[in-house]
Amino acid sequence: MGARGELFTTQVYLDNRSYFFNVKENRTGDVFLQIVESKSNDGSEFDRHQIAIFSEDMQKFLQGMDKSLTFIEKDRKSKQKKQKDSKDFPKDKKTYRVKTQDSEEKKVDDGIKRTGRIHVVSKRPVQTITEENKDSDKE
């Protein structure tokens, strides 16, 4: 046992934070988990926060932690699904109602971005250039 009653210690280093998981034993022989967060402030000072969970409360603590992690995972997956769905149908595209001959309304996305201005579409058929047209143009 260490000088401070430490039985086991492990560390996790992240960007500007460090987490220490210390298993300790107090003077009366009770074993507990001490979680310490150490965060760098201005490069020279550190903010330290710690919590202690005693062995008899460990199962309840872990159940709460497990529920929280399950919620986080479900939330992450639902956000990914929403993001994927929004990529399939972009938000800037609008659907417009078009009346058909049966006087039913259908939602149609014709790919034309409506800006409120009048759009003129030529009904003249597109002329394709063929070898005959090229020859007649040269003469």
Side-chain angles (χ1 to χ4, degrees), residues 117-133:
R117 297 179 182 169
I118 298 174
H119 295 276
V120 178
V121 178
S122 175
K123 293 185 178 180
R124 188 179 343 164
V126 177
Q127 183 180 8
T128 58
I129 299 175
T130 61
E131 293 298 323
E132 295 172 1
N133 290 346

Side-chain angles (χ1 to χ4, degrees), residues 2-137:
R4 296 182 187 157
E6 293 177 354
L7 302 174
F8 175 79
T9 299
T10 186
Q11 302 167 355
V12 176
Y13 296 104
L14 300 174
D15 292 332
N16 63 342
R17 298 172 191 234
S18 299
Y19 294 95
F20 302 91
F21 298 90
N22 305 317
V23 178
K24 292 186 171 186
E25 184 177 15
N26 64 12
R27 292 182 189 138
T28 61
D30 295 330
V31 177
F32 63 96
L33 172 68
Q34 179 188 47
I35 301 173
V36 179
E37 175 194 37
S38 180
K39 180 180 173 183
S40 175
N41 271 355
D42 302 328
S44 61
E45 296 181 18
F46 288 92
D47 276 344
R48 290 177 53 92
H49 303 281
Q50 61 187 15
I51 61 170
I53 301 112
F54 286 90
S55 61
E56 60 267 8
D57 300 329
M58 191 64 64
Q59 289 302 318
K60 289 182 182 179
F61 176 80
L62 291 176
Q63 287 173 354
M65 177 80 92
D66 188 46
K67 286 180 183 178
S68 299
L69 293 175
T70 302
F71 173 80
I72 290 170
E73 186 65 22
K74 284 181 182 178
D75 186 57
R76 183 184 63 82
K77 286 181 181 179
S78 69
K79 285 182 181 178
Q80 283 179 342
K81 185 177 180 182
K82 286 180 184 177
Q83 187 178 19
K84 182 181 176 187
D85 291 344
S86 68
K87 286 181 183 176
D88 293 341
F89 190 73
K91 292 179 183 178
D92 61 340
K93 280 197 172 184
K94 296 179 182 176
T95 55
Y96 298 92
R97 297 187 184 272
V98 177
K99 287 192 175 185
T100 61
Q101 292 175 352
D102 303 340
S103 71
E104 288 183 19
E105 290 186 2
K106 288 185 177 180
K107 289 184 178 181
V108 176
D109 182 12
D110 56 0
I112 298 173
K113 185 175 179 181
R114 304 293 201 266
T115 60
R117 297 179 182 169
I118 298 174
H119 295 276
V120 178
V121 178
S122 175
K123 293 185 178 180
R124 188 179 343 164
V126 177
Q127 183 180 8
T128 58
I129 299 175
T130 61
E131 293 298 323
E132 295 172 1
N133 290 346
K134 286 183 185 178
D135 293 338
S136 63
D137 289 340

